[in-house]
Amino acid sequence: MAYKYKNYIFDLYGTLVDIHTDEEQQELWEKMAKKLLDEYGAEYTAASLREKYLLLCKEETVVLAEKTHAEYPEIKIENVWARLIENGIRDESHKVETDGSKAAGNRVNPDDLEGLCIFFREASRDKLCKYPDTDRLLSELKSVGKKVFLLSNAQLFFTRKELEDVDIEKYFDDIFISSDNGVKKPQKEFMEKLLKKHGLNPTECVMIGNEVFSDGGVAEANGVDYIFVQDGDFSKII
């Protein structure tokens, strides 16, 4: 099989993996309100939780954009959940320091909330699977000596487990997740960081993804070719 490029940079969702989530469903927010109350003592109704979640997502994005001057900032969703817990605690017995000891404060370490983030993601998700030819394509690229990278607009605490669930992490030479980098596609610096870390020549790379604006945009900004693929149709890659 003749593959043109030395380095293949893939988007994840809608490109290699089929996924569907619905964060607007009432049942999701009822589950989350119950979990926050049961496990953290944070009190919300389903409606107030969703409203405050969306508000804090916007606030975190504004703050990050001002700090980094990025046009396309990407927040860490665990920071939002930490603030929701802190703001929702009413019972003094649930107020803890980051080391777990009871104290007058109610600070929460966002790094400890991966399980909560996974619960939220899985409660909102009704589909997650590889496209039929995903394994074949990635294994072929590796077998002929190509470098394979992932550049995904995603939350680390969501995507880390989903990569394990679909069993494709093993194919990548490196993985770049937007929430871990503070910016997302099409921000030039997101791909630029990957290229610089591995000393890649842009002319020897190709970006493959299903979003022309984000995937095509970041590729163009870095002088990298772009191949549009959708729903696991990889016929254009060869």
Side-chain angles (χ1 to χ4, degrees), residues 31-68:
K31 287 180 180 179
M32 294 309 299
K34 183 177 187 304
K35 190 169 184 67
L36 292 191
L37 180 61
D38 291 348
E39 296 191 10
Y40 303 97
E43 298 181 31
Y44 292 97
T45 64
S48 67
L49 179 58
R50 181 173 183 271
E51 179 183 359
K52 286 180 169 50
Y53 172 86
L54 295 174
L55 177 63
L56 290 181
C57 284
K58 290 180 181 178
E59 287 184 4
E60 289 282 322
T61 300
V62 169
V63 170
L64 183 59
E66 290 175 349
K67 179 181 179 180
T68 64

Side-chain angles (χ1 to χ4, degrees), residues 72 153 184-190 213-218 221:
Y72 302 100
N153 284 357
K184 61 186 176 182
K185 299 172 288 186
Q187 189 82 33
K188 178 183 178 181
E189 289 78 6
F190 189 22
F213 178 74
S214 60
D215 299 319
V218 76

Side-chain angles (χ1 to χ4, degrees), residues 131-165:
Y131 290 112
D133 290 329
T134 293
D135 279 307
R136 178 193 60 79
L137 172 64
L138 296 178
S139 62
E140 279 187 3
L141 287 171
K142 296 301 294 180
S143 70
V144 295
K146 304 301 182 180
K147 294 290 187 181
V148 178
F149 301 94
L150 183 67
L151 190 75
S152 178
N153 284 357
Q155 290 294 321
L156 178 64
F157 281 1
F158 296 166
T159 301
R160 181 153 54 195
K161 185 172 185 301
E162 289 176 342
L163 285 171
E164 294 175 0
D165 289 345

Side-chain angles (χ1 to χ4, degrees), residues 4-8 199-206 223-225:
K4 177 180 178 181
Y5 302 90
K6 288 185 177 180
N7 309 294
Y8 288 75
L200 305 181
N201 183 340
T203 63
E204 297 176 341
C205 301
V206 62
V224 168
D225 285 351

